[in-house]
Amino acid sequence: MYLKTKLILKHKVVIATVCILVSAITFYSCRQDKGKLVVNCKTPTTVSFANDIQPIFQKNCATAGCHSAPNPAANLNLDAAVAYAQITFPGKGYVDTINPTASLLHSQMISTSDPMPPTGLLSVCTSSLILKWIEQKAKKN
């Protein structure tokens, strides 16, 4: 009986150790930096609207019933032919290259109360890529 109890205890210690190691490995890719979660994202040096941003819009935003013709939500059409003109139109505030984090486009993507897309927030890497594009003056490249 003593040997069986000892084996069970040893088994529990092994399971606990494995759980701790898995948790450590999981959190290794992220770190806390002054209260902000920092995730290592692989982003291009120069973000391209055509190659990097528009595909995100096409997949997540320019869908039936959302930001697509003929009746785009909030009158914001993100179909490929008009998306750039729509989000960079002066005075709309969708893109603010002076204060990128104040851009409506960025704010809506990271909102927890009214997120876009409404089906669920984009990944941290995806929203970071869009923010980087805005920081790079939101060029049509």
Side-chain angles (χ1 to χ4, degrees), residues 55-115:
I56 295 168
F57 291 161
Q58 243 6 85
K59 180 181 176 188
N60 300 286
C61 313
T63 58
C66 287
H67 299 286
S68 185
N71 297 310
N75 290 320
L76 176 62
N77 187 342
L78 295 177
D79 287 329
V82 296
Y84 185 80
Q86 291 268 307
I87 62 171
T88 59
F89 193 80
K92 293 287 186 177
Y94 293 118
V95 173
D96 181 349
T97 58
I98 307 288
N99 187 3
T101 57
S103 297
L104 185 58
L105 179 64
H106 176 69
S107 312
Q108 285 295 139
M109 287 187 313
I110 64 168
S111 172
T112 54
S113 61
D114 190 20

